[in-house]
Amino acid sequence: LNSDGFDDLIVSARGFMQGTATVGRVLVYKGGTTMDEVADWVLTGNTSVLGVGGAFAVGRFRGPTNPRSIAISAANGHVYVFHGGSNAFPPGGTAAQISNAAQDLKVPLINDESIEEIVSAGTVLNTSEGLAIGAPGKASAGSVYLYSSSSSGLSAVPVTIRGSAVGCSSSFGRAVASAGNVNSSGRDDLLVGAPLCGTNSEGRAFL
């Protein structure tokens, strides 16, 4: 995340509480030969933004030449994007706040959808690394929201795939993954799971 040549470790503590509020927390540990148990970047939710860290993903969401970013969901249906830098974690250090986010994506959830998955979508939409968000519904079909990226960051408006369009009445988007370039088209493909889809809730996967 900080482009120092070592991979870093990211841990979600979505159940972290402040008083009686489940605000959530995300911690980043700097990788290296002297890695320790002390977090180097810590984002904590607040009473206005609960459930931080329900899902997250890391990718080059500002184009292939820029440092990686981390996209983090919250219970309010937003995804907050924080940019890493050259030998630097995102702003805020061990006291990072939602206000430090470079982007605030309000995912256009419908019915009873909630964000459960965030993954790098690879080049599914264009030649830059995009973001895929799985939002299954409890009693509705569910959706996957795809955000393209450019040097300025992720798009404000997503491409939406509805579970209802493929015959699912629930759980579409419960699992989402980049499938790589399965058909050799030059673009990455997306795999979506719907474990309760089907006449007898037998489950389906869509590519």
Side-chain angles (χ1 to χ4, degrees):
L1 187 60
N2 62 342
S3 303
D4 66 350
F6 291 95
D7 290 339
D8 305 305
L9 179 67
I10 303 173
V11 178
S12 169
R14 64 189 301 178
F16 180 80
M17 299 186 70
Q18 285 185 342
T20 59
T22 306
V23 297
R25 174 173 276 185
V26 173
L27 307 94
V28 177
Y29 297 84
K30 180 180 178 180
T33 57
T34 58
M35 189 175 180
D36 58 37
E37 62 185 11
V38 179
D40 298 278
W41 187 80
V42 181
L43 172 71
T44 304
N46 54 55
T47 53
S48 297
V49 182
L50 301 171
V52 166
F56 62 82
V58 175
R60 295 189 185 276
F61 303 135
R62 290 181 293 163
T65 61
N66 280 312
R68 290 177 174 81
S69 304
I70 180 170
I72 301 170
S73 74
N76 61 0
H78 289 238
V79 171
Y80 300 95
V81 184
F82 300 82
H83 297 325
S86 179
N87 290 307
F89 285 113
T94 56
Q97 301 293 322
I98 294 298
S99 58
N100 294 127
Q103 282 189 274
D104 175 0
L105 304 176
K106 180 171 174 52
V107 183
L109 304 173
I110 62 170
N111 301 321
D112 62 349
E113 292 177 348
S114 61
I115 298 171
E116 290 198 16
E117 281 272 32
I118 303 180
V119 299
S120 166
T123 60
V124 68
L125 292 177
N126 58 26
T127 56
S128 294
E129 191 171 356
L131 187 73
I133 297 172
K138 293 182 177 67
S140 58
S143 305
V144 171
Y145 299 91
L146 295 169
Y147 290 83
S148 62
S149 71
S150 66
S151 59
S152 59
L154 292 163
S155 58
V157 179
V159 172
T160 302
I161 306 171
R162 301 285 186 209
S164 56
V166 293
C168 286
S169 59
S170 69
S171 76
F172 184 82
R174 181 73 55 80
V176 183
S178 174
N181 186 10
V182 174
N183 61 345
S184 302
S185 66
R187 293 287 178 84
D188 290 333
D189 304 303
L190 192 70
L191 190 62
V192 180
L196 299 178
C197 184
T199 305
N200 299 307
S201 299
E202 63 270 23
R204 292 178 181 174
F206 300 88
L207 182 64

